[in-house]
Amino acid sequence: MNKVTLKVDQIIPQGTDAVELVFLDEQNRIQSFWPGQFITLLLNIEGKSVRRSYSICSVPEDLPRIAVCVKKVEGGLASHFLNDRLHEGDRLEVLEPYGNFSLNYKSAGLSDLVLVGAGSGITPLLSMLKSALAHAQNRVCLIYGSRSYRDILFINEINSLCASYPGRLRVEHFLSREPNDGCRTGRIATDSIMQTIESWSDLNIQEANFYLCGPKGMMDEVEAGLKSHQIDPNRVHRESFVLTVSEQKAENDASTSAQSTATSVQSAATSVQSATTSVQSSHTVQIILEGRTHALDVAAGRHILETALDAGLDLPYACTMGVCGMCRAFKVSGDMQIGEQEALSRSEIEQGYCLTCVGKPLSDQLVIDYDRR
């Protein structure tokens, strides 16, 4: 994964506790990306190396400018740094755009879209929305949850798009804490979503694609509800985008937990590729990277990625929690125990792909190929 240096071109306040960071790629290193993908910022905060991934809220046509939105997280090391201490003109290293949670807006006959997000989950959806409206003739329904009207991110841009595409774009705001005229009160729920969609007679529900981004509880409920309404599960795409309490603690400890990002999640639950139990103190794992094979001794209970990084291998990674998918590799042989791999689809897991950030070896015959990605 190539590193790119970007200049902070603009810092634009969004809502009550977020900023939009508009970067300038002065060397035109980033040629394109798909709406919904993310970039990973490589930060140095008080002498500590920190990686955080944020979904891109701009569109490919904006290049060489590329933008993300960072919402403050209570106790969040990176989010507070980016909101309070970054200045226009600063330069940051980033990893190029990545992620499977994306929209091919160039696809012929792009289906209608239903985008469901909450809080900072609007960022990848906004990029999808703008690209679809500009390049296709489909209808787009955005259902967006916020705490209050003043907390709505990108409100002016959303209103402007509604005015520009009155026949193709419908937006429904849900406010969980403070009622406001023109918005629905309460949290996003499947029944209210279906009411909104079904009231738009021109939108083809059964053929639409649904993209969900926000708190896990919201996405779980919406996904289950869509299934009960006979929506094809292959048309429902989701991305994790929140910190749990334990992750916030890890932020405070300046460890490797992340604000989450950007990957396509289609109900890939916990996968254990072998029920074998290990009694050895360590296992030898072979990692194939850029045509070379590296042998590592991985202690029992340690993750493969963690051990490889400690050994100095420059493996791609971002979140270290199984949600971004950047450490995706192919298991050639051997047994391993895998934690929750939200970034991989069921078919990818069945083909033999795995995430080394949540993988632990269970045999000495384990071979992981990073070149087969």
Side-chain angles (χ1 to χ4, degrees):
M1 187 67 65
N2 294 325
K3 297 178 182 178
V4 180
T5 299
L6 301 180
K7 176 185 175 182
V8 181
D9 195 51
Q10 286 181 287
I11 300 178
I12 306 170
Q14 292 289 347
T16 59
D17 56 0
V19 291
E20 179 185 4
L21 304 177
V22 182
F23 296 107
L24 175 61
D25 180 8
E26 296 171 295
Q27 297 180 332
N28 294 307
R29 293 280 304 280
I30 301 175
Q31 294 298 307
S32 188
F33 62 89
W34 291 112
Q37 291 189 310
F38 61 86
I39 57 174
T40 300
L41 310 188
L42 309 180
L43 308 173
N44 187 299
I45 304 175
E46 299 175 358
K48 300 170 183 176
S49 296
V50 179
R51 294 191 179 204
R52 294 295 183 268
S53 300
Y54 298 97
S55 293
I56 301 166
C57 55
S58 54
V59 293
E61 289 76 16
D62 292 336
L63 289 170
R65 285 174 171 77
I66 189 168
V68 301
C69 184
V70 182
K71 187 177 178 67
K72 275 189 181 180
V73 177
E74 184 178 354
L77 180 69
S79 64
H80 277 260
F81 173 83
L82 295 169
N83 271 266
D84 301 333
R85 296 167 56 185
L86 201 65
H87 300 93
E88 293 180 357
D90 288 348
R91 285 175 170 80
L92 296 178
E93 266 196 337
V94 309
L95 298 181
E96 291 179 323
Y98 187 81
N100 296 325
F101 182 78
S102 59
L103 176 71
N104 182 0
Y105 60 92
K106 297 180 180 180
S107 174
L110 186 66
S111 65
D112 291 342
L113 300 178
V114 178
L115 311 176
V116 184
S120 54
I122 184 64
T123 50
L125 304 183
L126 184 64
S127 181
M128 292 179 177
L129 181 155
K130 291 187 290 187
S131 291
L133 292 173
H135 294 278
Q137 295 301 316
N138 61 333
R139 287 160 290 275
V140 182
C141 182
L142 172 64
I143 298 171
Y144 180 29
S146 307
R147 291 172 300 190
S148 66
Y149 190 82
R150 64 179 178 274
D151 288 310
I152 299 175
L153 304 179
F154 301 101
I155 183 61
N156 293 331
E157 189 167 5
I158 292 172
N159 288 341
S160 177
L161 289 166
C162 287
S164 299
Y165 299 93
R168 292 180 51 209
L169 174 62
R170 175 170 295 187
V171 177
E172 189 84 63
H173 289 288
F174 284 74
L175 305 180
S176 61
R177 296 187 182 178
E178 296 180 14
N180 190 282
D181 291 343
C183 302
R184 301 187 67 161
T185 302
R187 298 183 183 277
I188 293 174
T190 306
D191 288 345
S192 52
I193 287 176
M194 296 308 296
Q195 290 173 9
T196 298
I197 299 170
E198 290 170 351
S199 68
W200 194 357
S201 58
D202 289 340
L203 191 142
N204 188 337
I205 300 176
Q206 295 302 322
E207 296 298 322
N209 272 291
F210 293 75
Y211 289 84
L212 320 178
C213 188
K216 184 177 185 299
M218 180 208 76
M219 293 193 295
D220 287 345
E221 179 181 350
V222 171
E223 187 173 21
L226 293 176
K227 184 177 181 180
S228 70
H229 283 80
Q230 286 74 54
I231 301 298
D232 182 354
N234 292 320
R235 292 186 172 275
V236 181
H237 317 274
R238 50 182 281 174
E239 178 179 75
S240 296
F241 211 73
V242 293
L243 282 170
T244 63
V245 173
S246 61
E247 290 159 15
Q248 290 183 27
K249 180 180 184 300
E251 278 261 13
N252 287 326
D253 294 339
S255 73
T256 53
S257 69
Q259 183 184 346
S260 134
T261 64
T263 50
S264 176
V265 180
Q266 299 177 357
S267 304
T270 300
S271 170
V272 178
Q273 296 185 341
S274 172
T276 307
T277 57
S278 173
V279 294
Q280 293 180 226
S281 60
S282 67
H283 290 286
T284 300
V285 177
Q286 295 185 60
I287 293 182
I288 301 171
L289 178 67
E290 297 178 350
R292 298 182 60 186
T293 299
H294 307 265
L296 296 176
D297 282 332
V298 181
R302 287 201 83 196
H303 293 111
I304 297 166
L305 175 65
E306 177 187 15
T307 304
L309 294 175
D310 287 346
L313 289 183
D314 188 17
L315 299 182
Y317 78 97
C319 75
T320 74
M321 296 182 297
V323 295
C324 79
M326 195 172 289
C327 67
R328 178 180 182 268
F330 184 78
K331 182 175 76 69
V332 178
S333 62
D335 296 322
M336 62 191 299
Q337 176 183 333
I338 300 291
E340 192 166 334
Q341 300 186 106
E342 291 192 353
L344 297 186
S345 67
R346 188 174 293 107
S347 63
E348 287 176 306
I349 293 171
E350 291 172 351
Q351 291 172 47
Y353 289 98
C354 63
L355 300 180
T356 56
C357 70
V358 292
K360 301 175 183 179
L362 293 175
S363 75
D364 285 327
Q365 292 77 40
L366 183 59
V367 179
I368 301 293
D369 189 351
Y370 265 90
D371 294 342
R372 185 173 171 180
R373 291 170 55 81

Coordinates of all heavy atoms in Angstrom, one line a residue, residues 255-302:
S255 N -3.3 3.1 21.9 CA -3.0 1.8 21.3 C -3.5 1.8 19.9 O -3.8 2.9 19.3 CB -3.6 0.7 22.1 OG -5.0 0.7 21.9
T256 N -3.7 0.7 19.3 CA -4.0 0.6 17.9 C -5.4 0.5 17.5 O -5.8 0.1 16.4 CB -3.2 -0.6 17.3 OG1 -3.6 -1.8 18.0 CG2 -1.8 -0.4 17.3
S257 N -6.3 0.8 18.5 CA -7.8 0.8 18.1 C -8.0 1.9 17.2 O -7.3 2.9 17.2 CB -8.6 0.8 19.3 OG -8.5 2.1 19.9
A258 N -9.1 1.9 16.4 CA -9.3 2.9 15.4 C -10.7 3.4 15.4 O -11.6 2.8 16.0 CB -9.0 2.3 14.0
Q259 N -11.0 4.5 14.7 CA -12.3 5.0 14.6 C -13.1 4.2 13.6 O -14.3 4.5 13.4 CB -12.3 6.5 14.1 CG -13.7 7.1 14.0 CD -13.7 8.5 13.4 OE1 -12.7 9.1 13.3 NE2 -14.9 8.9 13.1
S260 N -12.5 3.2 13.0 CA -13.2 2.3 12.1 C -13.2 2.8 10.7 O -13.1 4.0 10.5 CB -14.6 1.9 12.5 OG -15.5 2.0 11.4
T261 N -13.3 2.0 9.8 CA -13.5 2.4 8.5 C -14.0 1.3 7.6 O -14.4 0.3 8.1 CB -12.3 2.9 7.8 OG1 -11.5 1.8 7.8 CG2 -11.8 4.0 8.5
A262 N -13.7 1.8 6.6 CA -14.3 1.6 5.5 C -14.2 0.4 4.9 O -13.2 0.1 4.6 CB -13.8 2.6 4.7
T263 N -15.1 -0.6 5.0 CA -15.1 -1.9 4.3 C -16.5 -2.4 4.2 O -17.4 -2.1 4.9 CB -14.3 -2.9 5.1 OG1 -14.8 -2.8 6.4 CG2 -12.9 -2.6 5.1
S264 N -16.7 -3.2 3.2 CA -18.0 -3.8 2.9 C -18.2 -4.9 3.9 O -17.4 -5.8 4.0 CB -18.1 -4.3 1.5 OG -19.3 -4.9 1.3
V265 N -19.4 -4.9 4.6 CA -19.7 -5.9 5.6 C -21.0 -6.5 5.2 O -22.0 -5.8 5.1 CB -19.8 -5.4 7.0 CG1 -20.1 -6.5 8.0 CG2 -18.5 -4.7 7.4
Q266 N -21.1 -7.8 4.9 CA -22.3 -8.4 4.5 C -22.6 -9.6 5.4 O -22.6 -10.8 5.1 CB -22.3 -8.9 3.0 CG -22.1 -7.8 2.1 CD -21.9 -8.2 0.6 OE1 -21.9 -9.4 0.4 NE2 -21.9 -7.3 -0.3
S267 N -22.7 -9.2 6.7 CA -23.0 -10.2 7.8 C -22.0 -11.3 7.9 O -22.3 -12.4 8.2 CB -24.4 -10.9 7.5 OG -25.4 -9.9 7.3
A268 N -20.7 -10.9 7.7 CA -19.6 -11.9 8.0 C -19.4 -12.0 9.5 O -18.8 -11.1 10.1 CB -18.4 -11.4 7.3
A269 N -19.8 -13.0 10.1 CA -19.7 -13.2 11.5 C -18.5 -13.9 11.9 O -17.6 -14.2 11.0 CB -20.9 -14.0 12.0
T270 N -18.3 -14.2 13.2 CA -17.1 -14.9 13.6 C -16.9 -16.2 12.9 O -17.8 -17.0 12.7 CB -17.3 -15.2 15.1 OG1 -17.4 -13.9 15.8 CG2 -16.0 -15.8 15.7
S271 N -15.6 -16.3 12.4 CA -15.3 -17.5 11.7 C -14.1 -18.2 12.3 O -13.1 -17.6 12.6 CB -14.9 -17.1 10.2 OG -14.4 -18.2 9.6
V272 N -14.3 -19.5 12.6 CA -13.2 -20.3 13.1 C -12.8 -21.3 12.0 O -13.6 -22.1 11.7 CB -13.5 -21.0 14.4 CG1 -12.4 -21.8 14.9 CG2 -13.9 -19.9 15.5
Q273 N -11.6 -21.1 11.5 CA -11.3 -22.0 10.3 C -10.8 -23.3 10.8 O -10.5 -24.2 10.0 CB -10.2 -21.3 9.5 CG -10.8 -20.0 8.8 CD -9.8 -19.4 7.9 OE1 -8.6 -19.7 8.0 NE2 -10.3 -18.5 7.0
S274 N -10.6 -23.5 12.1 CA -10.2 -24.8 12.6 C -10.6 -24.9 14.0 O -10.5 -24.0 14.8 CB -8.7 -25.0 12.5 OG -8.3 -26.2 13.1
A275 N -11.2 -26.1 14.4 CA -11.6 -26.3 15.8 C -10.4 -26.9 16.6 O -10.6 -27.2 17.8 CB -12.8 -27.2 15.9
T276 N -9.3 -27.0 15.9 CA -8.1 -27.6 16.6 C -7.7 -26.7 17.8 O -7.6 -25.5 17.6 CB -6.9 -27.7 15.6 OG1 -7.4 -28.4 14.5 CG2 -5.8 -28.4 16.2
T277 N -7.3 -27.2 18.9 CA -6.8 -26.5 20.0 C -5.3 -26.6 20.0 O -4.7 -27.7 19.7 CB -7.4 -26.9 21.3 OG1 -7.1 -28.3 21.5 CG2 -8.9 -26.7 21.3
S278 N -4.6 -25.6 20.4 CA -3.2 -25.6 20.4 C -2.6 -25.6 21.8 O -3.1 -24.9 22.7 CB -2.7 -24.3 19.7 OG -1.3 -24.2 19.8
V279 N -1.6 -26.5 22.0 CA -1.0 -26.5 23.3 C 0.5 -26.1 23.2 O 1.2 -26.0 24.2 CB -1.0 -28.0 23.9 CG1 -2.5 -28.4 24.2 CG2 -0.4 -29.0 23.0
Q280 N 0.9 -25.8 22.0 CA 2.3 -25.3 21.8 C 2.4 -23.9 22.3 O 1.5 -23.1 22.3 CB 2.7 -25.4 20.4 CG 2.8 -26.8 19.8 CD 3.2 -26.8 18.4 OE1 2.6 -27.5 17.6 NE2 4.2 -26.0 18.0
S281 N 3.7 -23.5 22.7 CA 3.9 -22.2 23.2 C 4.0 -21.2 22.0 O 3.8 -20.0 22.2 CB 5.2 -22.1 24.0 OG 6.3 -22.5 23.2
S282 N 4.3 -21.7 20.8 CA 4.4 -20.8 19.6 C 4.3 -21.7 18.4 O 4.4 -22.9 18.4 CB 5.7 -20.1 19.6 OG 6.8 -21.0 19.4
H283 N 4.0 -21.0 17.3 CA 3.9 -21.7 16.0 C 4.7 -20.9 14.9 O 4.8 -19.7 15.0 CB 2.5 -21.8 15.5 CG 1.6 -22.7 16.3 ND1 1.7 -24.1 16.2 CD2 0.7 -22.5 17.2 CE1 0.8 -24.7 17.1 NE2 0.2 -23.7 17.7
T284 N 5.3 -21.6 14.0 CA 6.0 -21.0 12.9 C 5.0 -20.7 11.8 O 4.3 -21.6 11.3 CB 7.1 -21.9 12.4 OG1 8.1 -22.1 13.5 CG2 7.9 -21.2 11.3
V285 N 5.0 -19.4 11.4 CA 4.1 -19.0 10.3 C 4.9 -18.4 9.2 O 5.9 -17.7 9.4 CB 3.1 -17.9 10.8 CG1 2.2 -17.4 9.7 CG2 2.3 -18.4 12.0
Q286 N 4.6 -18.9 8.0 CA 5.3 -18.4 6.8 C 4.5 -17.3 6.1 O 3.3 -17.6 5.8 CB 5.7 -19.5 5.8 CG 6.6 -20.5 6.4 CD 7.0 -21.5 5.3 OE1 7.6 -21.2 4.3 NE2 6.7 -22.8 5.6
I287 N 5.0 -16.1 5.9 CA 4.3 -15.0 5.3 C 5.0 -14.7 4.0 O 6.2 -14.4 3.9 CB 4.3 -13.8 6.2 CG1 3.5 -14.1 7.5 CG2 3.8 -12.6 5.5 CD1 3.3 -12.9 8.4
I288 N 4.2 -14.8 2.9 CA 4.7 -14.4 1.6 C 4.3 -13.0 1.3 O 3.2 -12.6 1.3 CB 4.1 -15.3 0.5 CG1 4.4 -16.8 0.8 CG2 4.5 -14.9 -0.9 CD1 3.6 -17.8 -0.1
L289 N 5.4 -12.2 1.1 CA 5.2 -10.7 0.9 C 6.1 -10.2 -0.2 O 7.4 -10.4 -0.1 CB 5.4 -10.0 2.2 CG 5.3 -8.5 2.1 CD1 3.9 -8.0 1.8 CD2 5.8 -7.8 3.4
E290 N 5.6 -9.7 -1.3 CA 6.4 -9.2 -2.4 C 7.4 -10.2 -2.9 O 8.6 -9.9 -3.2 CB 7.1 -7.9 -2.0 CG 6.1 -6.8 -1.6 CD 6.8 -5.5 -1.2 OE1 8.0 -5.5 -0.9 OE2 6.1 -4.5 -1.1
G291 N 6.9 -11.4 -3.1 CA 7.7 -12.5 -3.6 C 8.7 -13.2 -2.7 O 9.4 -14.1 -3.1
R292 N 8.8 -12.7 -1.5 CA 9.7 -13.3 -0.5 C 8.9 -14.0 0.6 O 7.8 -13.5 1.0 CB 10.6 -12.2 0.1 CG 11.5 -11.5 -0.9 CD 12.4 -10.5 -0.2 NE 13.3 -11.2 0.8 CZ 14.1 -10.5 1.6 NH1 14.1 -9.2 1.6 NH2 14.9 -11.2 2.5
T293 N 9.5 -15.0 1.2 CA 8.8 -15.8 2.3 C 9.6 -15.5 3.6 O 10.8 -15.6 3.7 CB 8.9 -17.3 2.0 OG1 8.1 -17.5 0.8 CG2 8.2 -18.0 3.1
H294 N 8.8 -15.1 4.6 CA 9.4 -14.8 5.9 C 8.8 -15.7 6.9 O 7.6 -15.9 7.0 CB 9.0 -13.3 6.3 CG 9.4 -12.3 5.3 ND1 10.5 -11.6 5.3 CD2 8.7 -11.9 4.2 CE1 10.6 -10.8 4.3 NE2 9.5 -10.9 3.6
A295 N 9.7 -16.4 7.7 CA 9.2 -17.3 8.7 C 9.2 -16.6 10.1 O 10.2 -15.9 10.5 CB 10.2 -18.5 8.8
L296 N 8.1 -16.6 10.8 CA 7.9 -16.0 12.0 C 7.5 -17.0 13.1 O 6.7 -17.9 12.8 CB 6.8 -14.9 11.9 CG 7.0 -13.7 11.0 CD1 5.7 -12.8 11.0 CD2 8.2 -12.9 11.5
D297 N 8.0 -16.8 14.3 CA 7.5 -17.6 15.4 C 6.4 -16.7 16.1 O 6.7 -15.6 16.6 CB 8.6 -17.9 16.4 CG 9.5 -19.0 15.9 OD1 9.0 -19.9 15.2 OD2 10.7 -19.1 16.3
V298 N 5.2 -17.2 16.1 CA 4.1 -16.5 16.7 C 3.7 -17.1 18.0 O 3.3 -18.3 18.0 CB 2.9 -16.4 15.7 CG1 1.8 -15.6 16.4 CG2 3.3 -15.8 14.4
A299 N 3.8 -16.4 19.1 CA 3.5 -17.0 20.4 C 2.0 -17.3 20.5 O 1.2 -16.7 19.9 CB 3.9 -16.0 21.5
A300 N 1.7 -18.4 21.3 CA 0.3 -18.8 21.5 C -0.5 -17.6 22.0 O -0.1 -16.9 22.9 CB 0.3 -20.0 22.4
G301 N -1.6 -17.4 21.4 CA -2.5 -16.3 21.8 C -2.2 -15.0 21.2 O -3.0 -14.0 21.3
R302 N -1.1 -14.8 20.4 CA -0.8 -13.6 19.7 C -1.4 -13.6 18.3 O -1.4 -14.6 17.6 CB 0.7 -13.3 19.7 CG 1.3 -12.9 21.0 CD 2.6 -12.2 20.8 NE 2.5 -10.8 20.5 CZ 3.4 -10.0 20.0 NH1 4.6 -10.6 19.6 NH2 3.2 -8.7 19.8

